[in-house]
Amino acid sequence: MRRDTQQVFAAKIYESFLIKARHEIDMLIKLDHPNIVNIYEVYEEENCIILILDYMAGGELYEQLSQKKVLTEGQVRQFVRVLIDAIRYCH
């Protein structure tokens, strides 16, 4: 938590041997969109890369979707809108 603003962050750790992860990190740092997690800091250690990013109270989208057994048409529509909006921004 950042003391002056009370903003909460999350940390995600990648194994260093994942070269692909570094490329994705470099791309994500450049993005600024409400439906894409912001990366604030990157720490490279000998055996891992640590990302400091936005804390998402609901967790990852995949986790949310896998916990639900059935989605309503409205829920699916909302998920797809958010994904398409983020993908459109990236391209």
Side-chain angles (χ1 to χ4, degrees), residues 52-70:
I52 305 301
L53 15 111
D54 286 324
Y55 173 72
M56 306 304 290
E60 293 190 20
L61 178 61
Y62 175 78
E63 291 172 4
Q64 289 182 22
L65 291 174
S66 64
Q67 290 176 358
K68 296 179 184 271
K69 296 190 188 249
V70 177

Side-chain angles (χ1 to χ4, degrees), residues 4-29:
D4 58 343
T5 64
Q6 299 299 305
Q7 185 176 0
V8 178
F9 298 93
K12 192 165 194 173
I13 300 172
Y14 289 95
E15 298 297 324
S16 284
F17 65 85
L18 293 176
I19 303 300
K20 182 179 175 185
R22 183 63 203 183
H23 176 68
E24 291 176 16
I25 292 165
D26 291 340
M27 289 175 33
L28 283 171
I29 289 172

Side-chain angles (χ1 to χ4, degrees), residues 25-88:
I25 292 165
D26 291 340
M27 289 175 33
L28 283 171
I29 289 172
K30 297 175 187 175
L31 300 177
D32 182 22
H33 188 273
N35 296 327
I36 300 173
V37 173
N38 291 314
I39 297 176
Y40 296 98
E41 298 284 339
V42 177
Y43 299 101
E44 294 190 46
E45 300 294 330
E46 188 175 314
N47 60 349
C48 66
I49 298 171
I50 303 167
L51 305 181
I52 305 301
L53 15 111
D54 286 324
Y55 173 72
M56 306 304 290
E60 293 190 20
L61 178 61
Y62 175 78
E63 291 172 4
Q64 289 182 22
L65 291 174
S66 64
Q67 290 176 358
K68 296 179 184 271
K69 296 190 188 249
V70 177
L71 296 172
T72 66
E73 184 177 330
Q75 289 171 318
V76 172
R77 188 179 313 118
Q78 181 60 29
F79 281 127
V80 171
R81 276 189 191 143
V82 168
L83 288 172
I84 289 174
D85 188 42
I87 291 168
R88 185 179 300 138

